[in-house]
Amino acid sequence: MLAYIGRRVVYTVPIMLGVSLVCFALVHISPGDPLVSVLPADASEQLRLTMMRLYGFDRSYPEQFGLWLWRAVQGDLGTSIATGRAVATEVLRAAGNTLRLAALATVIGFVFGCLFGFVAGYFRDSWVDKLASLLSVIGVSVPHYWLGMVLVIVFSSQLGWLPATGAGPGGSSSWVWDWEHVSHMVLPAITMSVIPMGIIARTVRALVAEILAQEFVIGLKARGLNEVGVFAHVVKNAAPTALAVMGLQLGYLLGGSILIETVFSWPGTGFLLNAAIFQRDLPLLQGTILVLAMFFVLLNLAVDVVQTMLDPRIERG
Amino acid sequence: MTEPLVELRDLTVTFTGGPKPVAAVNGVDLTLAPGETVALIGESGSGKSVTLRQILRLNPERRSRVSGQVRVAGLDVLRLSGTELAAYRGAVASMIFQEPLLALDPVYTLGDQIVEAICRHEAVSREDARRRALDLFERVRIPSAARRLEAYPHEMSGGMRQRAMIALALACRPKLLLADEPTTALDATVQIQVLLLLRDLQREFGLSILFVTHDIGAAVEVADRMAVMYAGRIVEAADARTIVRAPRHPYTIGLLKSRAHGALQKGQRLETIPGSPPDLANLPPGCAFADRCFLAADACRTTPPAAEGLAAGHQVRCFRSADTAAALA
Ligand SMILES: Nc1ncnc2c1ncn2[C@@H]1O[C@H](COP(=O)(O)OP(=O)(O)OP(=O)(O)O)[C@@H](O)[C@H]1O
Ligand code: SF4
Ligand SMILES: [Mg+2]
């Protein structure tokens, strides 16, 4: 098992290298002058060249990549062109916010998705099943920024129960464990949880139906297990796949939260990306994408390892 | 005569899930004495598995209609409540399946499955249950038993898996073991080992065994009595020797004749008799075998023949059983 984990970890190194190359390339292939946002329109050619040299944009691409990667490994992602602050600090603070929001959304999605999925799988073709299927289809297909706006209108504007935007009182973007801060997470997290909820519900329903159709369930009953006893076996059989799907959903939420973070002005990586793109802030853009991609790679690694530990049928060779 | 351990009376099972009701079992009468081994034989689809499963009430209850009586060890099985049923399954009667790989939970070790079954029925600590599991593995002659308890079903060979399944079925010392083709999925040499093991365990535990097989040779080897099923009825039942030497039902005769020279080779499956069994969703009013029977007469097609006792313990359902002895000669 340990050897397997070790090998899996080693395999991720080339993947990470590839990912960073793609990050770098994506940002540099896109057209446009990276300095346009910081230089005044009437800046002299002299000033422009100085700035280029300062940010390293005058070097060749391989040189720029090597330098950037070397610094990135040491935790230095450069300075933001727009704000002049260290990219690493900005990205890590934003990533913490995004991670917290995505994790809460995934937990909500997982709990309710499993609930719907188990009920639907156990009572297939009953009205409960049809209702659960309908909800999961809606969950997957409703545009979530629209849902976010509806929730804001109902629960913030009309009822005034929950704050509409930001991550804390007075636009603070640092985290404290109190109701003020938690209440800011509620609406965006619910909005974000809808898609994983639908996907997990569908997965679990199919899993449960497939498990219940297997002969070993009859074998369990033949041993005198009651419904509760059989349920425990169903859960253990479904767990590896359900948890893997949950992990992947968390990964998608980390990367795909731009719209929701924009709707709720949530100071996360999506919000940061949005700003970086509009301001053509190359170091910030690169750094953010890189951090997100690394999260995704590490998450996949964790999912693989956990699944292998939970499911004895997977070869550990 | 001692009180029978198992008594099936006019058992019928009809599946109602499909477009037309399927009459899988149509009035089965069968008794097993304590310690007796009975083999159920018959073509595919004759209702052997459904009969066996009904003894544990494993057929889907919402999609089937059941009538008649099932008594096991004094319990009226068809009237047990949910909790009574769970207490009965595994402790009074248990079952082993044709393909243990499918009948065992793939993500639990074999040891855990046995411990779970024991703790489900008896107030014992997990450590004691574990010790009993080890003892069971040794009794079914699994080598390096302690290590094998930690194995998952897919990590074992077919023969070892079936032994583990037998150990699991015997974990709570049941009085009745139901075995649905316990050796069909195994290699020929392993089949014999498992059958011999079953016979030894039967003596050791004083078990009654009702087992389904396609292998008449195996049935003769292991069973005290044999019951031949056709279209959901037992058409002939007698002690194993009588069935093989002096069968009186045309279907039994056909089954035996279709085997090469009637030789009782082990491991050989039943050959089919010309024609095919009737549609269980549309059974004829008379004898279900009439379309394939070389002795069929008009009378056979109006009412089903009742069971007739020919000699002690030899019963046959055929209007012309008096003529079959002559046809055989
Ligand atoms: N759960 C079920 N729902 C509907 N029909 C069923 C069900 N189980 C069995 N049947 C039908 O009942 C009939 C008898 O099946 P059964 O499994 O008892 O045959 P069998 O004698 O065991 O045959 P085999 O030798 O192939 O195992 C078959 O026609 C089968 O299709
Ligand atoms: S009752 Fe008639 S049809 Fe049926 S087995 Fe006997 S002789 Fe054949
Ligand atoms: Mg069968």
Side-chain angles (χ1 to χ4, degrees), chain B residues 76-184:
Chain B
D76 187 352
V77 174
L78 298 186
R79 288 198 177 69
L80 294 179
S81 71
T83 43
E84 289 167 338
L85 182 63
Y88 155 78
R89 289 169 170 168
V92 179
S94 64
M95 189 152 177
I96 58 179
F97 296 82
Q98 176 172 344
E99 188 31 278
L101 186 58
L102 301 178
L104 293 163
D105 187 327
V107 305
Y108 282 67
T109 63
L110 292 162
D112 283 348
Q113 300 196 45
I114 295 180
V115 168
E116 179 188 38
I118 294 175
C119 293
R120 164 73 192 80
H121 289 288
E122 294 168 37
V124 295
S125 69
R126 286 189 67 85
E127 290 70 43
D128 287 342
R130 195 91 197 162
R131 266 192 287 283
R132 254 167 74 182
L134 182 63
D135 176 55
L136 282 160
F137 260 39
E138 279 162 1
R139 291 231 225 164
V140 297
R141 294 174 218 143
I142 292 179
S144 37
R147 193 167 50 80
R148 287 282 180 35
L149 278 177
E150 309 299 327
Y152 291 94
H154 71 273
E155 295 171 340
M156 285 181 136
S157 70
M160 285 303 137
R161 263 201 299 267
Q162 192 57 287
R163 284 166 195 264
M165 179 100 232
I166 294 171
L168 175 60
L170 298 182
C172 297
R173 307 185 181 104
K175 299 191 174 77
L176 170 66
L177 181 66
L178 305 164
D180 196 348
E181 304 195 35
T183 59
T184 310

Side-chain angles (χ1 to χ4, degrees), chain A residues 29 47 115 125 132 156 159-160 162 179 198 207 242 293 307-308 310 312:
Chain A
I29 284 169
L47 180 60
L115 196 70
D125 302 323
S156 299
L159 297 170
L162 292 162
W179 169 242
L207 273 174
Q307 200 177 15
T308 312
L310 287 183

Side-chain angles (χ1 to χ4, degrees), chain B residues 230 235 248-252 286-301 303-306 316-321 323-324:
Chain B
Y230 188 77
V235 293
R248 294 292 290 279
H249 192 282
Y251 176 64
T252 316
C287 174
F289 190 56
D291 282 345
R292 301 165 79 186
C293 179
F294 62 96
L295 282 175
D298 287 348
C300 300
R301 298 181 192 274
T303 50
V316 66
R317 280 177 185 269
C318 172
F319 290 121
R320 304 194 56 188
S321 60
D323 304 327
T324 50

Side-chain angles (χ1 to χ4, degrees), chain A residues 52-71:
Chain A
M52 288 279 274
R53 201 158 330 118
L54 209 61
Y55 281 100
F57 292 140
D58 57 337
R59 298 173 187 236
S60 72
Y61 283 149
E63 254 182 298
Q64 283 192 46
F65 176 64
L67 204 62
W68 173 69
L69 194 63
W70 175 239
R71 287 184 181 147

Side-chain angles (χ1 to χ4, degrees), chain B residues 171-230:
Chain B
C172 297
R173 307 185 181 104
K175 299 191 174 77
L176 170 66
L177 181 66
L178 305 164
D180 196 348
E181 304 195 35
T183 59
T184 310
L186 305 175
D187 294 340
T189 50
V190 183
Q191 285 189 359
I192 297 163
Q193 292 168 5
V194 170
L195 282 175
L196 293 178
L197 173 70
L198 274 179
R199 202 173 58 184
D200 293 351
L201 291 170
Q202 186 255 326
R203 292 200 187 118
E204 201 179 325
F205 286 74
L207 281 172
S208 295
I209 300 182
L210 178 57
F211 80 102
V212 168
T213 182
H214 282 272
D215 185 345
I216 296 187
V220 173
E221 192 93 5
V222 183
D224 303 313
R225 276 196 304 137
M226 282 163 78
V228 182
M229 274 192 91
Y230 188 77

